[in-house]
Amino acid sequence: MTMKWRSRKGAVLLAAVTALALPGPAAAHAAGTAHTGQAARTAPAAPGHAGPDARHAGPLSLGRPAPALKLKEWATAQRAADRLRRAQPRAIRPLPGLRLTPPKPGPRRDADASALVLYDTAGPYGFLGELYGMATANLAGHFGTVTAKPVAQYAAGEVEQHTATIYVGSTYYGGTVPDEIPNAFYADVATTAKPVVWMNDNIWTLAGKVGVPAFTRKYGWDPTRSSFEPVGNVTRVDYKNEQLTRTFPAGADGGILRPLVTDPAVVTTLATAQDTSTTPTTAFPWAIKSANLTYLGEIPYAYTNETDRLIAWHDLLFDVLAPDTPTRHRAVLRLEDISPASDPADLMAVAQYLASQNIPYAFQVIPVYTDPKGVYNDGVPETITLAQRPQVVDALKYMVANGGRIVAHGYTHQYQDVQNPYTGVTGDDFEFFRSHIDANNSVILDGPVPEDSLAWASQRITTGKAAYAPAGLPIPAIWTTPHYAGSALAYEAVKQSYAARLERSLYFAGQLSGGPIDGQRYIGQYFPYPVRDIGGATVLPENLGNYEPEPANNHAARLPADIIRAARYNLVVRDGFASTFYHPYFGTGPLTDIVTGIRDLGYTFVDPASLIQ
């Protein structure tokens, strides 16, 4: 008899990417690898877990931020500052000699776009600015070159040197936090014909520097009379006829600026927020455009998931950086957590189905399986290599020959002989990050492993990479970090060995500014298209999550219909992807539903290697 261990991936992945509440529900991704086809295992269930036949996982989302990010406190501070601004308006003297030019077409966009990303660093929550700046720079990295720096370092004329400029206003200037935005930036934004995107705070100061009458004449709305209140309960953002979700925990919503439009003839509403706290629902602009200025009433990186309003921002970037992009929709399928302990029959069944459908796909391999405490082997420690499982290797060779692209998935996909957070067994646990399960049964990320260094990570990565050729398998060019969580040094080590990562990723405070890196303050991010990230790495998209039929660690089950729904929402991204992953031990039934559903939406499955440039 063969007992099939079901992966904890979904919950752990959620934990990892949930760091900043950027992309996903709770933790980042979850732990996850299936141990299938192992010789009769009767290990007892780990404390607080369901045991060898349980399936641990949940939707991949980034909704629960790391405590160090203090997002609730930031939201409270923003609401308070906005009330004070409206109650005690401060006089802003218009910049002398500034004359707004009438709206006119901007210059032709270069084929290789250049983005200038500016972010705040002042005040008690200044660290958030860098995290949001990194997230924005990563997305802009899909379109071309990116320059990202604090707005305080802006020099006159820089707007003209780039295809488009994006300012992320996360620090509410006023009171005890003096304005760090240079007058040169206010002046250049007001006079340039180049596209400018302004997010969230301080747009009212721009209007004051320009002169409110002049601003309203050109742009058709008055930021000085716009407000983040009432916060209400905006649970939906409508974009291109899709009703994207928006979910915030109680007290964590800083609000969305509700623009007071003075001339509807010159303002285009790009996306609409729906406040369901009123009857009937109150609709107001979430994103608007007038002349060359696009304004988003919030920074859409916190408390997100696979169907979130963040998808609208993913598409709006095309308007300012690549407006002539033709519409096409591609899909990527990845088979997850294959190790020497996998069941070759499971692998062959899924591979033969995909071959029959002419579906190219990626499949992840963990080259060494280890159970250092014998959790699934009657207390006897066990390690299995590819050379010891020729039937598994034969199945992998079949996959390579029939549309599969091998992807490296760590070395052992676990850490030492400790629970990290589950069992210490391959596929269950993180390899390059520490974690634990708290009293509420949630996976919590604790930071990089104690040994974290470029040398330590490189040694594991290169040792794992060396295991493929002796088994007669092609050496992978693509990597996926176990449970989507690694340190900045681990990601750098991956870049030195692999051409691309196929995953969601973490980005750390200090990483963009040059350090020191804070392992407790990070943002998790998923991408709807390939990007060149702020570390110079190519990251391929995974934006739909995975199939997980049972809830785990406070994450709901995720069924084929959930994945297909997310794929449908992502159709609003004009050149976006539907990228999902699947564990072969679930059989072909749910996979058939997922593949058919995505293909019926008009997506074309592609080999992820074709996305590497």
Side-chain angles (χ1 to χ4, degrees):
M1 170 178 133
T2 297
M3 302 191 75
K4 298 184 178 182
W5 172 252
R6 302 304 188 183
S7 168
R8 307 174 192 270
K9 184 77 131 191
V12 176
L13 291 182
L14 282 180
V17 186
T18 237
L20 170 43
L22 249 186
H29 280 75
T33 293
H35 313 157
T36 55
Q38 301 168 27
R41 306 193 186 282
T42 57
H49 297 40
D53 292 315
R55 301 178 181 184
H56 298 269
L60 289 172
S61 94
L62 310 172
R64 181 174 303 150
L69 297 181
K70 302 183 181 299
L71 290 185
K72 283 193 175 184
E73 291 91 335
W74 174 87
T76 299
Q78 173 162 282
R79 296 192 300 268
D82 197 52
R83 285 193 295 271
L84 181 62
R85 171 182 67 88
R86 290 181 292 110
Q88 302 176 21
R90 57 189 181 94
I92 300 174
R93 181 177 299 177
L95 297 175
L98 184 63
R99 292 183 178 275
L100 295 190
T101 56
K104 61 181 180 179
R108 285 180 57 86
R109 315 288 169 47
D110 297 332
D112 185 21
S114 169
L116 175 62
V117 175
L118 302 170
Y119 55 90
D120 296 318
T121 56
Y125 308 102
F127 61 89
L128 286 174
E130 183 186 10
L131 297 178
Y132 292 140
M134 284 190 287
T136 305
N138 288 337
L139 291 170
H142 172 69
F143 300 91
T145 59
V146 182
T147 298
K149 65 180 184 178
V151 68
Q153 297 177 10
Y154 178 82
E158 285 187 281
V159 162
E160 300 302 328
Q161 300 168 16
H162 299 273
T163 306
T165 297
I166 304 168
Y167 165 62
V168 186
S170 62
T171 293
Y172 201 119
Y173 293 116
T176 60
V177 184
D179 190 357
E180 289 203 347
I181 300 176
N183 282 336
F185 182 60
Y186 288 123
D188 287 353
V189 168
T191 56
T192 186
K194 295 282 188 83
V196 175
V197 178
W198 194 294
M199 287 185 185
N200 208 54
D201 289 339
N202 309 312
I203 186 71
W204 43 87
T205 307
L206 172 65
K209 296 282 187 176
V210 167
V212 175
F215 186 98
T216 56
R217 280 196 301 271
K218 179 174 181 179
Y219 299 110
W221 65 289
D222 184 353
T224 66
R225 292 190 288 157
S226 303
S227 173
F228 288 102
E229 292 187 319
V231 172
N233 187 26
V234 177
T235 59
R236 204 178 90 203
V237 172
D238 296 345
Y239 181 69
K240 289 187 174 180
N241 298 316
E242 288 292 357
Q243 298 179 358
L244 306 178
T245 61
R246 183 179 183 274
T247 305
F248 274 64
D253 193 348
I256 302 170
L257 191 80
R258 303 186 182 211
L260 178 65
V261 176
T262 57
D263 186 356
V266 301
V267 176
T268 299
T269 297
L270 303 173
T272 303
Q274 301 288 346
D275 182 358
T276 59
S277 69
T278 62
T279 304
T281 296
T282 300
F284 63 92
W286 182 83
I288 58 176
K289 181 181 179 182
S290 47
N292 63 315
L293 178 66
T294 298
Y295 178 76
L296 272 65
E298 67 171 337
I299 302 169
Y301 295 125
Y303 306 103
T304 67
N305 58 39
E306 294 80 1
T307 58
D308 188 77
R309 87 285 195 202
L310 180 64
I311 296 171
W313 171 231
H314 289 160
D315 183 62
L316 288 172
L317 279 164
F318 284 91
D319 288 348
V320 296
L321 290 170
D324 298 327
T325 300
T327 297
R328 61 175 170 173
H329 300 297
R330 290 171 285 176
V332 173
L333 173 66
R334 186 179 91 219
L335 301 181
E336 186 83 356
D337 291 338
I338 298 170
S339 81
S342 294
D343 186 338
D346 287 347
L347 302 181
M348 286 299 298
V350 168
Q352 288 171 347
Y353 161 70
L354 293 173
S356 74
Q357 299 298 306
N358 295 313
I359 300 290
Y361 61 95
F363 64 95
Q364 292 176 335
V365 175
I366 308 160
V368 174
Y369 167 87
T370 186
D371 180 355
K373 291 189 174 181
V375 173
Y376 305 124
N377 193 37
D378 296 324
V380 179
E382 180 180 36
T383 296
I384 308 173
T385 66
L386 289 169
Q388 295 171 305
R389 289 292 186 268
Q391 289 181 308
V392 171
V393 173
D394 288 344
L396 301 183
K397 290 178 178 179
Y398 175 88
M399 296 164 81
V400 169
N402 290 275
R405 173 74 59 177
I406 194 167
V407 172
H409 193 31
Y411 174 36
T412 62
H413 201 315
Q414 54 81 237
Y415 174 71
Q416 295 187 359
D417 62 352
V418 298
Q419 294 178 337
N420 191 37
Y422 295 113
T423 63
V425 180
T426 290
D428 280 0
D429 285 12
F430 291 86
E431 183 170 353
F432 296 93
F433 223 74
R434 291 307 311 269
S435 65
H436 72 278
I437 299 172
D438 69 7
N440 295 318
N441 196 31
S442 294
V443 177
I444 304 299
L445 300 186
D446 299 321
V449 299
E451 303 91 336
D452 183 52
S453 68
L454 186 62
W456 179 85
S458 296
Q459 189 274 333
R460 294 193 68 84
I461 291 165
T462 56
T463 301
K465 190 173 185 179
Y468 296 97
L473 297 170
I475 299 173
I478 303 174
W479 163 280
T480 299
T481 306
H483 291 341
Y484 291 0
S487 69
L489 292 173
Y491 290 133
E492 177 62 26
V494 172
K495 188 180 71 172
Q496 294 178 3
S497 290
Y498 290 93
R501 305 198 309 263
L502 172 54
E503 61 179 33
R504 305 180 182 194
S505 299
L506 301 181
Y507 297 91
F508 299 83
Q511 197 171 346
L512 186 58
S513 63
I517 292 174
D518 187 340
Q520 302 303 313
R521 286 177 170 169
Y522 48 86
I523 189 167
Q525 189 168 18
Y526 66 78
F527 303 110
Y529 28 64
V531 305
R532 179 65 59 87
D533 75 4
I534 55 100
T538 297
V539 186
L540 307 181
E542 188 280 284
N543 58 336
L544 302 186
N546 65 301
Y547 171 74
E548 290 291 355
E550 297 180 8
N553 295 113
N554 299 310
H555 298 292
R558 191 163 182 81
L559 304 179
D562 298 308
I563 295 170
I564 295 165
R565 177 190 177 209
R568 192 189 84 221
Y569 284 9
N570 275 277
L571 287 172
V572 305
V573 182
R574 66 201 72 179
D575 189 17
F577 283 74
S579 181
T580 186
F581 64 95
Y582 185 84
H583 293 84
Y585 53 74
F586 284 124
T588 58
L591 180 61
T592 299
D593 293 340
I594 293 167
V595 167
T596 301
I598 290 175
R599 197 157 49 180
D600 286 350
L601 289 171
Y603 287 96
T604 299
F605 283 93
V606 297
D607 178 351
S610 68
L611 310 179
I612 303 173
Q613 296 181 346

